[in-house]
Amino acid sequence: MTCLPAQTDKKLGLVIDLDTCVGCQACVTACKEWNTGGHMAPLTDIDPYGGDADGVWFNRVHSYEHMTEMGGRTVNFPRSCLHCETPACVTVCPTGASYKRASDGIVLVDEDKCIGCKLCSWACPYGAREFDTDVGVMKKCTLCVDRIYNDNLAEEDRVPACVAACPTSARHFGDLGDPASAISQLVAERGGVDLMPEMGYKPTNKYLPPRAHTTRAASVPAPALEAVRAEGGFLGWVDRMLSN
Amino acid sequence: MHPAFSVVFFTTATGAGYGLLSLLGVLAGQGFIPPDFWLGLTGMGLALGLISAGLLSSAGHLGRPERAWRSFSQWRSSWLSREGVASVATFIPAGLFGIGWVVLGRTSGWVAVAGLLAAIGAVATVCTTGMIYASLKPIAQWHSRFTLPGYLIFSAMTGCVLLNALLQGFAVGSNTLLAAALLLTVLGWGWKLATWRYNDRLEIPTTANTATGLAGGTVRSMEWPHTEENYLLKEMGFRIARKHSVRLRQITQVLAFALPALLLVAAFALPWPYAAVSSMLAAIAQLAGMLVERWLFFAEAKHTVTLYYGR
């Protein structure tokens, strides 16, 4: 049923640290590798070795330049399903293929019911859903539902593939509905934010903004042969003489 | 948004078909249109033909059309599902009305009731189509108060111009209907101009900053996650029409509104059969113009996912 559960027992989700993400794409390939054989398999690639490659991915890492008055920096930005509390992608589904689980809040697609109308991908402001043209159905992040409850895996491996793969621990997994959980504490401590809060879909996943710039170094590097700040003493005298 | 031809054709054809069906249901059911076998057959055939062709075209747009029957199940939450239920349900009174009015030549009693129910079903279906688009928050140009009335006005307009062409063709046209077709065309024109004006001044609160959670300053896309176009860019990142939007808006105004309005004015003055030819040309021009209008409706709509790509 595409009506949403009034509340979910847990709110499983990811917290992504934009301060430490280095944009290595390890989470992207780990996601693809696991999920092309997982719950939503296959993650079809069309013409993968040709000049017009296309394919289904659940996780994509963008790179942005964020310029503020404090200076600029590169921010690597992983984008995937945020498992929203009120996801429009679920309610617009005409067949009941899209659903949000009452137990843990994970948003899933039942591939056997999907008619491939693509309306859910229009309703998602984040571009989390990708259509598989080969199978004719919509696909999306499952939060590795086939890993996190998998008794065949060692307990430390029962996390989404992207979290397990991250070399800088920029990705965290846990219950965001429990204020005492480590992941909720991290969000509180670092001021985690929602993406597009004005859309009102209440995303479960949170993003930790990059830490503030320090004042230890000069905020604006000086152009060649020019002092950063007015120098006194001998260098100041040299500067004044040469400037005349 | 990518203007898939199947969806552009679907909304244009069913809009005109449901408009014509509701007018036939009300006017013929109340005895304003004389029961005539060939007129009825052509009119109901045109209305149901446009509706069926549109619905089949939209089913062809699906990835798994053989499962389309599943889309009748989620009417509690989904406007697309409601559209499916309403469109199929409307065929029942429409079919009964067709049999009563066309085959039996009756306009009273249960035929009038079936005609009225078909008209209500047709209007309800157009409302559900409009709401599919109006309910999508990520697309600001659609999530506006102009979308739903627009679908209703254009459905009434194209339906009325078609009905006028039909009745003029059978030499039973009236100045009242001609005036209604002309008024609705002018209303449609005004509504489209107002919609474009609103969209051009739209200030969208969602920016690259809120999309990435990076507060303050500017967020510039430096590198995409992929080198080729992916599904998101093919489906949501369409840019051809935005480049040509001024010219395409002019074409829409001429074909869908100005030319039909002129031809309808001419039909007032001309004797039959010239008035009929003029009325039919108005209907053809308007449907062609509405295809361009609907194409622009998609192509000018900007989805928030394009913000992630710096567009």
Side-chain angles (χ1 to χ4, degrees), chain A residues 1-2 51 53-54 62-67 79 91-92 96 111 114-116 121-122 124-125 135 196 198-199, chain B residues 63-64 67 74 76-78 137-138 206 210 216-218 220 222-223 226 228 231 234-235 303-304 308-309:
Chain A
M1 205 45 160
T2 54
D54 193 357
H62 295 252
S63 293
Y64 298 102
E65 174 196 74
H66 187 209
M67 291 291 291
R79 178 174 58 79
T91 51
V92 299
E111 276 190 87
C114 176
I115 57 173
S121 68
W122 295 5
C124 172
V135 186
M196 299 188 200
E198 66 281 359
M199 284 279 158
Chain B
R64 301 297 289 257
R67 298 176 183 165
Q74 303 302 309
R76 283 187 195 83
S77 74
S78 164
K137 273 196 267 182
T206 301
T210 68
T218 56
R220 192 174 66 86
M222 271 185 359
E223 199 172 343
H226 40 93
E228 314 293 322
Y231 166 72
K234 286 173 185 165
E235 185 77 3
H303 194 283
T304 50
Y308 288 108
Y309 291 88

Side-chain angles (χ1 to χ4, degrees), chain A residues 99-121:
Chain A
Y99 59 105
K100 183 172 175 69
R101 306 209 305 185
S103 57
D104 51 19
I106 297 179
V107 175
L108 289 175
V109 177
D110 181 345
E111 276 190 87
D112 295 330
K113 286 185 184 162
C114 176
I115 57 173
C117 71
K118 303 177 185 168
L119 187 58
C120 55
S121 68

Side-chain angles (χ1 to χ4, degrees), chain B residues 59-192:
Chain B
H61 162 79
L62 300 176
R64 301 297 289 257
E66 77 279 9
R67 298 176 183 165
W69 60 273
R70 288 187 180 276
S71 64
F72 301 123
S73 66
Q74 303 302 309
W75 48 269
R76 283 187 195 83
S77 74
S78 164
W79 282 107
L80 180 55
S81 183
R82 286 169 198 162
E83 182 193 49
V85 173
S87 64
V88 170
T90 302
F91 275 107
I92 298 166
L96 287 174
F97 170 71
I99 292 167
W101 181 50
V102 181
V103 182
L104 305 178
R106 291 183 53 177
T107 57
S108 57
W110 64 269
V111 180
V113 173
L116 213 56
L117 286 176
I120 292 168
V123 173
T125 309
V126 174
C127 283
T128 57
T129 307
M131 282 310 294
I132 291 173
Y133 298 97
S135 66
L136 292 172
K137 273 196 267 182
I139 304 151
Q141 288 85 357
W142 294 355
H143 185 64
S144 90
R145 59 181 181 273
F146 286 90
T147 302
L148 176 60
Y151 269 83
L152 286 167
I153 290 169
F154 294 140
S155 175
M157 176 187 80
T158 48
C160 191
V161 170
L162 269 180
L163 180 65
N164 172 64
L166 176 76
L167 295 192
Q168 291 279 352
F170 281 85
V172 288
S174 73
N175 277 349
T176 316
L177 190 63
L178 206 47
L182 182 60
L183 270 177
L184 280 166
T185 299
V186 172
L187 176 66
W189 195 351
W191 194 260
K192 194 72 240 184

